[in-house]
Amino acid sequence: MRIHSVLAVSLLLVSRPTLYAEDALPPFSWDRVPVYAHVGKASGDFTAKELDFLANHFDFITIEKGQASHKYGNTEDGFAVAAREIKKRNPDAKVLYYWNASLDTSTARWGYKAVKTLPADAYLKDREGNPVLRRKTVPNYDQRRPDVRDWWSDAAATAVREYGADGIFADAMGDPPRANLKTLNEQTQFDLRAARLAMMEETRRKIGPGKLIVYNGLMRENREKLLRVTDGAMIEHFGHFTNGSSKEQIAEAILAAQAAGRDGEIVLIKAWPGFSFREPEMMKKPRDELARLAKQRITFPLACYLVAAQTNCYFCYTWGYREKLGTFQWYPEFDKPLGPPKGDATRKGWTFQREFRHASVFVNLEMQTARIDWRR
């Protein structure tokens, strides 16, 4: 199945300023570190205390898959409640709806009402005709199929129209993991990239210019084309995981964030405290200990963010995406005056330096050390 090349080329002709209205953006300020929240709570609705925390500390939030799904049996109803309650407390907040662009996460207990209308036989098959699975359990959508793309983009539009979303967070917009790629021929890989691009263009048309599309995968393939039909992207494995922790990978991420930010894109930098929810032994430790470690280790990832950040670039620092994995921790650095940058970072080898009105930042990627000198 081949995506017509004219479609892919036409996407490149979409002009950047037409993608969103200015009031679609969350308020942005350099007064303090610009922060972003990405969180879900499957067990039930956020408590009043949790909602107050989100509304008081963040103007930009993505509500994850499975929000209150144990209570409602689906993500959509839980999302609608969370978005409404956050905006009641903070009318300026922009709340994105998590919608995985490649994986049917409903098969991994994160229920969605939308899957009831998923086209039959909608999953990607390998060369032998077997479903392509993530972590041996989660199937991939076959986005080459027009009916699958139409279903996905319709669900995105419904989230905006009926559930109060200010836009879509499109996860998994890169190629499948290498283990899965080995089961697909080159033509299929090419067609899938073009199909994901086409799906974002369809979604843009359906949700309209007043809403946002932010995708996960700035460091993946198709970056330039995808940024022409979306409003920005996340760098998820910033300074952590095997595909993000080397000095070369962090430098590449810094440069990519700088370039996208200068072009007017939203950039979400998802940083980690040196551990994540994917490490079972670490997750056995008491939450207070994990919070203490995160507090001790914030300087290096925050400094890397600061040397990269442009307007509409946000910092997210947790060890996962659930309510017990760091979103409701707060750090003294987030309350310190920052002020606008005095210019872009300067680089010398593996070191970066940058000046803000109220802070001087130094990063050594080779040694993985950093210093932030705060001043009034």
Side-chain angles (χ1 to χ4, degrees):
M1 189 180 302
R2 182 70 180 266
I3 303 300
H4 200 286
S5 61
V6 172
L7 174 60
V9 171
S10 70
L11 297 177
L12 299 179
L13 302 179
V14 178
S15 61
R16 186 76 186 92
T18 65
L19 296 186
Y20 59 76
E22 284 302 316
D23 60 2
L25 293 171
F28 180 88
S29 172
W30 291 111
D31 289 350
R32 304 286 188 275
V33 174
V35 289
Y36 158 81
H38 192 119
V39 64
K41 181 180 180 180
S43 61
D45 294 320
F46 291 123
T47 64
K49 183 177 180 180
E50 290 167 338
L51 288 164
D52 289 343
F53 186 95
L54 291 171
N56 291 334
H57 290 89
F58 303 98
D59 291 321
F60 204 9
I61 302 165
T62 290
I63 304 298
E64 257 280 343
K65 57 185 174 290
Q67 173 61 26
S69 57
H70 295 180
K71 176 178 180 179
Y72 299 104
N74 63 78
T75 292
E76 289 93 331
D77 290 340
F79 173 88
V81 171
R84 181 180 67 243
E85 291 299 321
I86 289 168
K87 293 181 185 183
K88 186 185 300 182
R89 291 163 168 80
N90 179 1
D92 292 329
K94 300 298 181 182
V95 182
L96 301 184
Y97 179 80
Y98 175 99
W99 190 216
N100 198 296
S102 296
L103 302 171
D104 183 358
T105 59
S106 66
T107 63
R109 67 188 166 84
W110 310 116
Y112 282 91
K113 288 191 285 189
V115 298
K116 295 177 181 178
T117 58
L118 178 66
D121 198 29
Y123 299 139
L124 184 66
K125 306 292 198 307
D126 64 18
R127 297 173 185 176
E128 276 69 52
N130 301 311
V132 176
L133 302 177
R134 179 76 179 270
R135 299 193 183 94
K136 300 181 180 181
T137 58
V138 184
N140 287 254
Y141 301 125
D142 189 347
Q143 300 119 327
R144 297 172 300 170
R145 288 178 43 174
D147 58 344
V148 171
R149 297 197 304 271
D150 195 47
W151 166 83
W152 194 93
S153 54
D154 278 347
T158 299
V160 167
R161 186 175 59 251
E162 297 183 15
Y163 301 120
D166 295 299
I168 303 300
F169 181 88
D171 197 10
M173 279 293 290
D175 280 344
R178 292 178 182 176
N180 295 127
L181 278 179
K182 293 177 182 178
T183 70
L184 304 173
N185 61 42
E186 290 186 8
Q187 185 62 57
T188 298
Q189 295 175 37
F190 176 87
D191 290 344
L192 284 169
R193 291 181 194 123
R196 287 192 293 269
L197 197 59
M199 195 164 75
M200 290 303 103
E201 195 273 342
E202 292 172 22
T203 303
R204 165 62 58 203
R205 186 177 68 252
K206 290 177 182 179
I207 70 171
K211 302 296 180 179
L212 299 171
I213 303 175
V214 178
Y215 77 92
N216 189 8
L218 183 65
M219 305 307 296
R220 304 295 292 273
E221 64 287 332
N222 262 17
R223 178 192 309 171
E224 292 183 5
K225 294 178 182 179
L226 282 169
L227 288 176
R228 288 185 179 273
V229 295
T230 64
D231 303 299
M234 174 185 275
I235 302 175
E236 183 178 13
H237 297 171
F238 189 80
H240 195 57
F241 301 101
T242 56
N243 60 347
S245 60
S246 72
K247 62 180 184 293
E248 293 86 359
Q249 291 164 335
I250 300 173
E252 182 184 6
I254 287 171
L255 297 176
Q258 288 174 335
R262 290 181 192 128
D263 285 343
E265 311 286 354
I266 294 169
V267 178
L268 307 177
I269 290 183
K270 176 65 192 77
W272 305 81
F275 57 88
S276 82
F277 66 102
R278 292 182 181 173
E279 300 168 46
E281 291 305 311
M282 284 297 295
M283 293 303 99
K284 292 177 183 177
K285 294 181 182 293
R287 202 184 319 171
D288 287 350
E289 183 175 347
L290 296 177
R292 179 181 58 79
L293 288 172
K295 185 176 181 180
Q296 289 177 354
R297 299 175 180 181
I298 193 173
T299 300
F300 181 72
L302 177 57
C304 289
Y305 159 81
L306 288 172
V307 299
Q310 308 292 310
T311 300
N312 296 322
C313 181
Y314 293 84
F315 184 67
C316 181
Y317 183 67
T318 67
W319 51 97
Y321 302 111
R322 297 288 143 189
E323 79 280 6
K324 297 179 181 179
L325 301 177
T327 295
F328 296 102
Q329 303 299 136
W330 197 248
Y331 302 90
E333 290 84 352
F334 294 168
D335 288 323
K336 294 179 182 293
L338 177 65
K342 296 183 178 181
D344 280 337
T346 59
R347 181 180 183 180
K348 183 177 181 181
W350 295 108
T351 67
F352 290 82
Q353 288 184 273
R354 195 180 192 190
E355 291 293 323
F356 292 81
R357 180 177 295 167
H358 299 293
S360 298
V361 183
F362 174 82
V363 174
N364 186 323
L365 298 185
E366 191 162 37
M367 303 299 293
Q368 297 231 341
T369 57
R371 185 177 68 252
I372 305 173
D373 296 323
W374 304 93
R375 58 181 179 272
R376 287 286 178 178

